[in-house]
Each structure stands twice: as structure tokens, then as C-alpha cells.
Amino acid sequence: MTKIVLTLAVALALGFILSVLLKTPRHDRDWVVGVSRMPVFETMPDGRWRLHNMRAFEFSAHHAAKDWRETTLDPADLEEIWFFTEPFPAFKGAAHTFISFVFGGDTDQTIAISVEARKERGEVYSGFNGLFNKFELIYLWSTEKDVLTRIAIGLDHDLYAYKLDVTNEQSREILDHFIERTNELKDHPRFYNTITSNCTNELVKSINGAFPGALPWHFSHVLTGYAARRLHHLGFLDHETARFEDLRAEALATKAIRAAAEEPDPAFPDEWRKLMTDQKR
């Protein structure tokens, strides 16, 4: 009887492993509305990029609105990159991380990219299920107001905002690699994986693509709640603040984001940053 039970258990385990390994990632599933459109970049003759399917949802205390847009980005207008963390309440070693690109000049807008598990209708995210090819991967490009208000108001979670210490030239190289990986994903679907293809290590892959070895492997690529501390250690955050704990306290942006939520989208990025600066005084 014991041998029969063990044989069945092994057979079930092998069947599960094979079903995971043989599963094929696809783009044609019944997605939840927030990840229903795959972003893609079009190269324009003058060197600018045309972003299709940029998400532009908005969340405030009084309303929620859903929209998708197209926008044109000029790499020459790129001025800053910001890194955000959304800590998970249950475990300080876990967080969602994403970045935004701040453009001046004629572009004059702030665009965020959040690498996420692409959920189908009825699915709920689970880090455990994310180990077994349960979710496809999406590079979700949106307005900064979309992602920040969704987290700070829609989900009622805290957000920490850090300006990366990189040059404009480095910023443009990083943007180029994110665009390249976004278009590759559209043509070649991949699975999200909690360990190997999560929100943080996908960002790492793009940055290392631009600057090989800039972000050597570290446990924070998996325990993503420590990602900001790791960036501070490597010198990518504020050099003038020696203690990461002091920098993190100054980086708490939740209150400023909520206060700026009623601002129209073009004014929102500048407004919450101004409010954060005022809070530090």
C-alpha cells in the first residue's frame, strides 16, 4: 500500500512539473482590464519614440477613470529617473518596485514602467503561483499619476520615491533598453516568475543591458523589499545622506501623492514632488 501511495505521489509531482514546463506563454487570454493592452514602441524617423497603449487610469478619493493613450517621447528631453517601492505589509523583505522617466522640453511628461504579473479575469496574484508559470509577464507603461494613485489611493498602500543618481546620457541608455525589452516581449511572450522574472530583477536586466555589471546579483533581486537599500549601497541614490534609514524616511511619498491626486495629469508629477519637498522643511 505504501509503495502504491508513493508511486502515485511521484506520478502526480512529475505530471505537475511537466504541465508547468510544457505550458506556452500567450498574449491572447482573457486579461483583467488593467493589463488588457500590450504596450509597444514605434521608432519615428526623427529618432523619437511613439508609445502605443500607454495606460492612463486615475484614482482619487472621489472618482476613478480608465483611459489608454498614445504619446511621443524624445530621448533628448529625458531629465531624471525615479525609483519607487511599495512595501508589502506582511513581510518587509517583499515589495513591488518600479521606475518613472521624467521628461522636460517638448515631451514635458512623466512616464512610468511597472513590470508585473499579467493576470487573467478571476486570478489573484500569488508569489507562490508565480513560481509555476501561472502568469504571463507585462512591461506596463503608464502615466505616473496612474500607477501612483492606484497604489496610494486605490490600494491604500505606502510608496517611497527615490531619485536615481545617474546622468542624462545614462538615463537615455537605460530608457533605450527598456524600450527594446518592451518590444521584444510583445513579439515573444514570457512568463512572470517570482524568483527569476519579477518586478525588480526585470528592471535589473534592463539596466545591466545598458551598463553590464552595474547591478551585480544580490538577494534584493528576489527579496525586493531590500532593493532601495541595495541601490543606496551601490551609490545610485542620494550620496549626501549616509544612513539609508534617514533617506528612506525622507522618501515616504504617500501623503504627497494623495494630496496631489486631484491635480490634472500634466501637473500631477510636479505637484507631488513639490509637496514632498515642502514636507522636508
Side-chain angles (χ1 to χ4, degrees):
M1 188 64 180
T2 302
K3 289 182 178 180
I4 293 174
V5 171
L6 287 173
T7 300
L8 287 174
V10 170
L12 288 172
L14 289 174
F16 175 75
I17 292 171
L18 284 173
S19 68
V20 169
L21 294 177
L22 295 176
K23 190 175 180 181
T24 302
R26 295 164 44 185
H27 286 324
D28 59 346
R29 304 188 192 277
D30 185 18
W31 309 111
V32 299
V33 65
V35 291
S36 59
R37 302 189 186 187
M38 180 65 68
V40 62
F41 285 85
E42 173 190 356
T43 306
M44 302 178 69
D46 59 4
R48 294 182 299 165
W49 297 96
R50 185 71 175 169
L51 171 57
H52 302 271
N53 294 329
M54 179 181 74
R55 203 175 73 178
F57 292 9
E58 293 187 12
F59 301 85
S60 73
H62 305 102
H63 78 284
K66 299 177 181 180
D67 190 19
W68 298 88
R69 299 178 188 166
E70 294 186 358
T71 191
T72 301
L73 308 176
D74 188 339
D77 292 336
L78 182 58
E79 296 179 346
E80 299 173 356
I81 301 180
W82 286 65
F83 177 75
F84 297 85
T85 65
E86 173 201 354
F88 292 175
F91 174 45
K92 71 176 184 179
H96 179 55
T97 66
F98 57 96
I99 66 175
S100 68
F101 295 93
V102 180
F103 292 84
D106 292 334
T107 303
D108 194 26
Q109 58 182 312
T110 304
I111 310 295
I113 176 173
S114 175
V115 182
E116 301 187 6
R118 196 178 189 190
K119 299 187 294 294
E120 299 174 59
R121 293 183 189 273
E123 286 186 332
V124 178
Y125 174 78
S126 160
F128 179 77
N129 286 339
L131 294 169
F132 304 107
N133 292 350
K134 179 64 175 176
F135 311 107
E136 271 81 2
L137 187 72
I138 186 169
Y139 276 38
L140 182 62
W141 292 80
S142 70
T143 63
E144 194 179 63
K145 185 172 185 180
D146 174 312
V147 64
L148 297 190
T149 58
R150 175 171 60 91
I151 293 171
I153 297 175
L155 299 177
D156 195 24
H157 289 176
D158 277 334
L159 274 167
Y160 292 81
Y162 306 89
K163 181 181 173 182
L164 291 184
D165 190 1
V166 292
T167 67
N168 286 358
E169 183 179 352
Q170 290 170 331
S171 298
R172 287 191 287 270
E173 288 285 341
I174 292 169
L175 173 62
D176 283 346
H177 278 76
F178 274 108
I179 290 174
E180 180 181 336
R181 292 180 70 85
T182 299
N183 284 350
E184 287 177 354
L185 188 61
K186 177 185 178 296
D187 296 331
H188 305 286
R190 291 194 287 127
F191 285 116
Y192 171 93
N193 187 281
T194 307
I195 294 177
T196 61
S197 294
N198 62 37
C199 61
T200 300
N201 57 46
E202 286 292 314
L203 301 183
V204 169
K205 292 171 188 176
S206 289
I207 294 173
N208 280 340
F211 303 100
L215 298 175
W217 191 91
H218 187 258
F219 67 81
S220 61
H221 300 174
V222 178
L223 297 177
T224 52
Y226 300 104
R229 182 184 295 272
R230 174 62 171 170
L231 288 175
H232 183 256
H233 175 75
L234 292 174
F236 287 101
L237 303 185
D238 188 351
H239 289 294
E240 296 180 2
T241 305
R243 295 180 70 251
F244 174 72
E245 289 73 15
D246 296 335
L247 179 63
R248 185 175 188 270
E250 293 182 353
L252 182 60
T254 318
K255 183 177 178 181
I257 291 166
R258 290 171 179 163
E262 298 295 340
E263 292 289 331
D265 181 53
F268 171 81
D270 288 338
E271 180 64 17
W272 75 259
R273 285 175 172 84
K274 177 181 177 296
L275 291 172
M276 261 192 78
T277 301
D278 292 344
Q279 290 170 15
K280 296 175 185 177
R281 294 172 181 168

